[in-house]
Amino acid sequence: MLLKDKYNALVYTGKEKVELQERTLIPPKEDEVTIKIRRVSICGSDLGAYRFPSERFAVQLVLGHEFSGDVAAVGKNVTKLKVGARVTANPMIPCGKCFFCKRGETNLCGNRKSMGTAIGGVRTDGAMQEYVTVKESMVIPIADTVSYQAAAMLEPCGVTLACAKKGYTQDEKSVVIIGVGPIGLLILKFLKAMGVPKVICIDRMQNRLEKAKECGADLVIWADDTEAELLVKQATEGYGADRVIIAAGVGSAINQSFRFVRNGGCVVLVALMHEQVTIDPMEIVGRGLKFYGSYMFQSEMKEAAKMLADQRLHVEDLVTSVFPLEEGEKAFALLTDPQNQEIKVQLSVS
């Protein structure tokens, strides 16, 4: 595969600013792989960085951690990958030495770094560029039958599969999902693949509720419907759902979840909320509720890759627009427009 000496990268340069910059390609180190990017998805966390500058996303950073591409070069000690292989990568870079890493809970590693962020005080460029170089251990092969478009959704598939499994029991009859953006819709797909009999989806955007119906939701409810609680109860024999999954990053969803879940049920929070919320602890204690946080994943990204290869999972329908990398600024502006109706937007790298 012919490599360029110079290549383009979409760089985050400040509040609501990204710009195309030229970079010089550096050969991979002995245990590294250089990937020619084909597709990269824009994640909610990328939008958060774009809108709200923080230490987590230092300026002059290449965003993007949901991607697919081809192996373009390998280091001398790389043995499992060949040039031309179709791949993606787990963007988390755990330390491998701490208490959590030794337990296999790499998603909880406090010393981790992550592609497209400055977590740990180190700027780690992501995939919104023509090439990205990562450790061989991070790479996940993708089957020839899986499109680049679908493979660039595997990281959020890992997040949502881990969430769908959190608190799941084999006798589960009903789940409410609050918020059916890209994360909520993927959770819906996994819950139906797992055989959950009834999944109820709640959102404020009509187009997302319509998409939820297409993806298999058994009931959709407008979030501002004054009878939302009654509708959930009517659909769950009057008791409420066995589990409520919060995929909307608004604090009010937590107290709303208590109204939808049955006594002894389970609430799972996967949305990244950046606000303080006041709750009544007796809602949890007095009703015997279980409350879980679901963060990232462990083996689930590889599990989802197998599901895509086996055609037990389809995700292309969630991609609503594709922009060339050179129009990345336009894509970010679109997604932050208050009138935005997009579900998932990807950048195509020629």
Side-chain angles (χ1 to χ4, degrees):
M1 182 176 292
L2 183 64
L3 298 178
K4 297 180 180 179
D5 292 328
K6 303 287 185 180
Y7 65 95
N8 288 326
L10 188 68
V11 182
Y12 166 63
T13 58
K15 181 176 173 59
E16 298 187 350
K17 292 181 180 178
V18 290
E19 63 180 44
L20 211 62
Q21 295 181 5
E22 188 176 74
R23 296 276 178 99
T24 300
L25 186 62
I26 300 174
K29 296 177 182 177
E30 58 187 20
D31 61 345
E32 292 181 336
V33 173
T34 296
I35 300 170
K36 171 69 176 71
I37 302 298
R38 299 298 183 183
R39 286 289 182 94
V40 54
S41 299
I42 300 177
C43 174
S45 63
D46 297 322
L47 294 177
Y50 178 77
R51 296 174 62 194
F52 307 110
S54 69
E55 292 182 358
R56 186 182 179 94
F57 299 97
V59 296
Q60 299 303 317
L61 175 73
V62 179
L63 300 171
H65 56 273
E66 306 173 5
F67 64 94
S68 60
D70 304 306
V71 173
V74 299
K76 66 178 183 179
N77 290 344
V78 172
T79 59
K80 296 180 181 179
L81 294 165
K82 304 293 184 183
V83 171
R86 303 168 79 252
V87 298
T88 182
N90 183 338
M92 289 188 292
I93 310 170
C95 73
K97 302 175 182 177
C98 71
F99 169 82
F100 300 103
C101 286
K102 289 178 180 178
R103 286 166 55 93
E105 298 173 330
T106 52
N107 58 313
L108 302 180
C109 173
N111 306 312
R112 73 185 182 281
K113 301 177 183 64
S114 188
M115 293 177 65
T117 76
I119 291 175
V122 177
R123 186 187 291 108
T124 306
D125 281 341
M128 291 185 186
Q129 52 186 331
E130 291 186 74
Y131 297 96
V132 70
T133 298
V134 300
K135 298 281 189 182
E136 179 187 20
S137 58
M138 298 167 62
V139 176
I140 298 174
I142 56 176
D144 291 341
T145 54
V146 177
S147 68
Y148 291 117
Q149 178 171 298
M153 297 279 283
L154 273 172
E155 192 275 346
C157 281
V159 171
T160 51
L161 177 54
C163 176
K165 295 193 296 186
K166 184 78 71 170
Y168 169 75
T169 58
Q170 289 189 336
D171 62 347
E172 185 171 74
K173 294 182 175 63
S174 58
V175 178
V176 169
I177 303 173
I178 302 177
V180 281
I183 293 298
L185 289 169
L186 284 171
I187 293 169
L188 166 61
K189 285 176 177 282
F190 283 117
L191 291 176
K192 297 312 288 186
M194 291 161 60
V196 175
K198 185 171 290 184
V199 181
I200 302 167
C201 293
I202 300 175
D203 202 285
R204 285 195 170 91
M205 295 179 65
Q206 194 61 39
N207 71 312
R208 291 184 172 182
L209 292 176
E210 290 172 1
K211 178 58 74 173
K213 283 183 183 178
E214 294 176 15
C215 293
D218 299 282
L219 175 65
V220 298
I221 301 173
W222 184 46
D224 293 327
D225 191 327
T226 56
E227 295 189 341
E229 181 180 356
L230 175 62
L231 293 171
V232 170
K233 294 287 179 66
Q234 288 177 341
T236 56
E237 301 179 355
Y239 295 107
D242 295 319
R243 191 163 46 132
V244 176
I245 296 175
I246 305 172
V250 289
S252 60
I254 292 180
N255 283 301
Q256 190 179 38
S257 73
F258 296 148
R259 301 202 303 271
F260 298 148
V261 70
R262 67 167 173 81
N263 291 350
C266 173
V267 176
V268 181
L269 175 60
V270 67
L272 298 178
M273 290 185 183
H274 300 283
E275 58 180 295
Q276 293 186 348
V277 179
T278 300
I279 67 169
D280 179 1
M282 281 302 294
E283 285 283 355
I284 298 174
V285 177
R287 297 177 58 200
L289 300 182
K290 297 172 282 291
F291 198 107
Y292 295 109
S294 182
Y295 183 69
M296 297 300 291
F297 52 87
Q298 294 170 22
S299 63
E300 285 81 8
M301 193 171 171
K302 292 181 179 178
E303 291 176 38
K306 183 70 164 57
M307 291 178 72
L308 283 177
D310 295 342
Q311 298 189 354
R312 289 178 288 140
L313 175 69
H314 302 276
V315 298
E316 289 95 338
D317 59 322
L318 301 186
V319 179
T320 48
S321 290
V322 179
F323 291 82
L325 181 69
E326 293 76 13
E327 294 182 18
E329 187 174 3
K330 180 179 177 181
F332 271 87
L334 172 66
L335 285 168
T336 52
D337 188 313
Q339 304 302 315
N340 167 52
Q341 296 289 307
E342 300 284 347
I343 293 176
K344 195 68 172 179
V345 172
Q346 291 186 343
L347 301 177
S348 175
V349 185
S350 61

